[in-house]
């Protein structure tokens, strides 16, 4: 009986499909075709593959591949931030259907199985990735894609040394959109009409404008992202969006014939700040005040603001942030702290402020620090507090250079539960947002 069971087990192995397991280093016994191998090894810098559909069902995934004559292939892709190529095996088999290139073992191209979703993604799981060679198209190698339905084709085009160095930039530009798609919006603005803002979907690197029929496959570039075909926005043809320098999370923007398209991040819906609450400044309130312990765990406190501005170390936070208005244009940004040995003291910078475009702006500060207790702040044992207070004052001012949006929240926060609570969010760096009490006049 035991021998019979072993025989059945052996027979079952013999009927396993060679496409079912890509984790084994070499599941195929290769009968190499030297003609195809010669083509694959002919390009000194290897080949570039843009894996994209013609029908906008999935977008542009970019791979670099370098083949050697020993059956090894090195890869980089914009699905990974790695600058070190991954090495695995390949084979060039001659079969009844033609010459088949098989990627054997786990490599960058197998990341498609995790990146692609839905039916398309399912087609890419548990496979040895195989492509049927159909000949040359100019200097490109043309393959039929055996992983998807239909007679779709992919092309290997000769790569350059520069292609290998730009992969990290491609990864850096496409990943923020893929990872934060639910918080990205596309705004289309013209010189004469009210801007239109669309929530988006970004599945399988296809940009779709919700509640419309508009969609387009997307691929990463060194400057930002490009569209697989001309994408009409506001009546104008767009081919790419460039990443705005210094924006974080990234903003992608382009202008064509007076129409501007801007793909931007917002932790709240863009119309959330479409109000006049910023006019409360110096009319109904004379300032803002935040006590770290009261607000640090509030749902409206962004991690970026707490970690970069309020937090000193694992056990200490700056005690207080205040923004105090004096008249129609003068302002003091203050950090207050309770020192264990010396009590409460304030460090501040002075600047001008301005209200416009539904924002509060800070400007014209020399960032000179002032305090009535220089000995306390200058005490060596308070060095970490001083350094973080300086960073915090500079950060709040810099975040306000392009303005803070202001929204009155319908919440109460102890111990000052009678004070109104506002949300301030940086226009330029929307990851930086924080709740704060308004100080009534």
């Amino acid at each position: 009986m035991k021998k019979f069971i072993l025989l059945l087990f052996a027979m079952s192995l013999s009927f396993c499909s060679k496409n079912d397991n890509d984790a084994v280093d070499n599941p195929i016994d290769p009968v190499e075709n030297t003609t195809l191998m010669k083509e694959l090894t002919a390009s000194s810098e290897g080949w570039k593959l843009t894996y994209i559909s013609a029908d906008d069902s999935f977008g542009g995934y970019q791979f670099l591949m370098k083949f050697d004559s020993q059956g090894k292939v090195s890869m980089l892709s914009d699905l990974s931030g790695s600058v070190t190529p991954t090495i695995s095996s390949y084979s060039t088999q001659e079969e009844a259907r033609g010459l088949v290139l098989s990627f054997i073992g786990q490599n960058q191209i197998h990341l498609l199985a995790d990146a692609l979703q839905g039916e398309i993604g399912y087609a890419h799981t548990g496979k040895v990735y195989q492509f049927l060679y159909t000949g040359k198209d100019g200097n490109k190698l043309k393959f039929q894609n055996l992983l998807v339905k239909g007679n779709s084709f992919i092309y290997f085009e000769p790569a350059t040394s520069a292609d290998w160095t730009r992969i990290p930039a491609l990864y850096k530009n496409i990943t923020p959109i893929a990872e934060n798609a639910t918080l990205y919006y596309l705004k289309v603005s013209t010189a004469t009409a009210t801007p239109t803002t669309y929530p988006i979907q970004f599945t399988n690197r296809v940009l779709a404008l919700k509640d419309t029929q508009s969609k387009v496959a997307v691929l990463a570039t060194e400057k930002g992202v490009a569209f697989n075909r001309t994408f009409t926005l506001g009546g104008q043809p767009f081919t790419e969006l460039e990443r705005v320098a210094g924006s974080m999370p990234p903003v992608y923007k382009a202008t064509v014939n007076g129409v501007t398209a801007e793909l931007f991040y917002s932790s709240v819906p863009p119309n959330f700040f479409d109000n006049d609450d910023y006019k409360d400044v110096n009319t109904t309130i004379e300032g803002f005040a935040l006590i770290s312990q009261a607000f640090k765990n509030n749902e409206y406190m962004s991690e970026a603001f707490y970690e970069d501005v309020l937090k000193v170390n694992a056990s200490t936070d700056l005690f207080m942030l205040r923004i105090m208005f004096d008249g129609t244009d003068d302002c003091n940004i203050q950090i207050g702290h309770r020192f264990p040995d010396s009590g409460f003291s304030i460090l501040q910078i002075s600047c001008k402020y301005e209200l416009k475009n539904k924002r509060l702006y800070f400007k014209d500060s020399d960032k000179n620090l002032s305090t009535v207790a220089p000995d306390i702040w200058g005490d060596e044992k308070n060095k970490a507090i001083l350094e973080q207070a300086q960073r915090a004052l500079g950060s709040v001012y810099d975040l306000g250079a392009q303005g803070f949006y202001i929204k009155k929240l319908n919440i109460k926060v102890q111990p000052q539960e009678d004070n109104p609570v506002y949300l301030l969010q940086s226009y330029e760096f929307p990851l930086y947002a924080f709740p704060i009490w308004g100080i009534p006049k």
Side-chain angles (χ1 to χ4, degrees):
M1 181 66 179
K2 184 176 181 180
K3 291 182 179 180
F4 180 67
I5 293 173
L6 291 173
L7 177 61
L8 287 178
F9 178 69
M11 291 175 64
S12 69
L13 289 178
S14 69
F15 287 103
C16 283
S17 168
K18 64 188 177 184
N19 287 332
D20 288 341
N21 184 1
D22 63 11
V24 180
D25 181 60
N26 195 7
I28 299 174
D29 183 18
V31 179
E32 302 295 348
N33 180 275
T34 56
T35 301
L36 179 52
M37 180 177 281
K38 183 177 180 180
E39 294 288 1
L40 293 170
T41 57
S43 176
S44 60
E45 293 296 338
W47 303 89
K48 179 167 58 176
L49 165 64
T50 301
Y51 198 84
I52 196 167
S53 68
D55 62 357
D56 288 329
S57 60
F58 60 87
Y61 300 86
Q62 299 178 70
F63 300 88
L64 295 174
M65 310 173 181
K66 189 176 292 186
F67 300 85
D68 69 20
S69 59
Q70 307 303 311
K72 297 295 182 182
V73 56
S74 303
M75 285 193 208
L76 287 180
S77 81
D78 66 359
L79 279 167
S80 167
S82 174
V83 296
T84 303
T86 306
I87 301 174
S88 63
S89 300
Y90 77 96
S91 71
T92 54
Q93 292 179 283
E94 189 168 356
E95 301 179 1
R97 54 185 171 176
L99 300 181
V100 175
L101 169 63
S102 299
F103 292 101
I104 307 164
Q106 197 73 14
N107 209 317
Q108 293 284 322
I109 197 167
H110 294 83
L111 297 177
L112 285 168
D114 297 322
L116 293 168
Q117 302 175 35
E119 183 179 351
I120 297 170
Y122 180 76
H124 290 75
T125 59
K127 305 289 184 182
V128 172
Y129 278 38
Q130 295 186 318
F131 305 111
L132 179 66
Y133 181 58
T134 61
K136 298 188 71 171
D137 186 347
N139 64 349
K140 302 177 183 178
L141 306 182
K142 184 178 180 181
F143 295 86
Q144 183 180 341
N145 190 350
L146 301 178
L147 292 170
V148 296
K149 297 177 181 179
N151 295 317
S152 62
F153 291 93
I154 61 172
Y155 295 86
F156 290 7
E157 57 180 301
T160 66
S161 58
D163 289 326
W164 291 88
T165 62
R166 64 169 59 103
I167 282 289
L170 304 186
Y171 174 81
K172 179 181 178 181
N173 284 338
I174 198 74
T175 301
I177 307 174
E179 292 185 346
N180 302 284
T182 57
L183 298 176
Y184 266 95
Y185 299 83
L186 183 71
K187 181 169 68 175
V188 181
S189 307
T190 67
T192 58
T194 301
T196 302
T197 300
Y198 302 91
I200 70 160
Q201 290 178 318
F202 195 70
T203 305
N204 300 336
R205 292 195 180 176
V206 175
L207 174 65
L209 308 186
K210 286 185 178 180
D211 303 321
T212 75
Q213 298 299 311
S214 297
K215 67 175 185 177
V216 66
V218 173
L219 63 154
T221 69
E222 285 187 284
K223 293 182 178 181
V225 294
F227 303 133
N228 186 39
R229 54 174 176 77
T230 298
F231 194 40
T232 301
L233 297 169
Q236 297 300 321
F238 284 80
T239 58
E240 63 180 352
L241 300 175
E242 291 192 11
R243 180 171 176 162
V244 177
S247 59
M248 186 57 65
V251 173
Y252 306 80
K253 192 173 182 179
T255 299
V256 177
N257 297 327
V259 176
T260 298
E262 180 180 359
L263 188 63
F264 68 96
Y265 174 102
S266 180
S267 59
V268 295
N271 60 357
F272 186 79
F273 292 103
D274 190 14
N275 60 72
D276 292 331
D277 291 343
Y278 71 106
K279 292 183 178 180
D280 291 351
V281 169
N282 207 31
T283 56
T284 63
I285 62 169
E286 62 181 4
F288 294 109
L290 178 160
I291 295 176
S292 295
Q293 289 304 306
F295 283 102
K296 65 186 294 184
N297 295 318
N298 187 278
E299 62 178 310
Y300 291 100
M301 175 66 73
S302 74
E303 180 181 2
F305 188 83
Y306 170 70
E307 291 286 336
D308 292 351
V309 178
L310 300 178
K311 183 178 178 180
V312 179
N313 53 45
S315 61
T316 306
D317 298 325
L318 296 174
F319 178 74
M320 175 184 285
L321 165 67
R322 286 200 308 204
I323 302 170
M324 302 302 294
F325 305 102
D326 182 11
T328 59
D329 56 7
D330 290 320
C331 177
N332 293 315
I333 304 172
Q334 303 174 336
I335 293 295
H337 194 74
R338 285 181 173 170
F339 295 93
D341 301 330
S342 310
F344 182 78
S345 183
I346 287 176
L347 188 71
Q348 72 175 31
I349 60 173
S350 298
C351 64
K352 301 292 186 180
Y353 76 92
E354 185 177 11
L355 301 171
K356 63 180 182 180
N357 303 328
K358 298 189 180 296
R359 286 173 249 165
L360 163 67
Y361 293 80
F362 296 140
K363 60 181 184 178
D364 299 336
S365 174
D366 57 15
K367 295 187 180 181
N368 286 330
L369 302 171
S370 63
T371 179
V372 297
D375 292 343
I376 296 175
W377 289 96
D379 193 321
E380 181 63 24
K381 65 175 176 292
N382 296 329
K383 182 179 180 180
I385 302 294
L386 172 62
E387 290 177 347
Q388 184 57 37
Q390 290 174 310
R391 285 192 292 269
L393 292 170
S395 295
V396 172
Y397 176 81
D398 290 341
L399 290 169
Q402 295 299 320
F404 283 108
Y405 285 120
I406 299 176
K407 170 78 171 181
K408 188 181 291 184
L409 301 174
N410 188 27
I411 63 173
K412 295 182 180 296
V413 177
Q414 295 181 339
Q416 302 294 330
E417 60 183 34
D418 291 335
N419 283 17
V421 178
Y422 293 82
L423 176 67
L424 274 63
Q425 178 177 290
S426 168
Y427 168 81
E428 186 176 17
F429 301 102
L431 277 181
Y432 290 83
F434 56 98
I436 195 166
W437 289 302
I439 304 173
K441 294 198 74 166

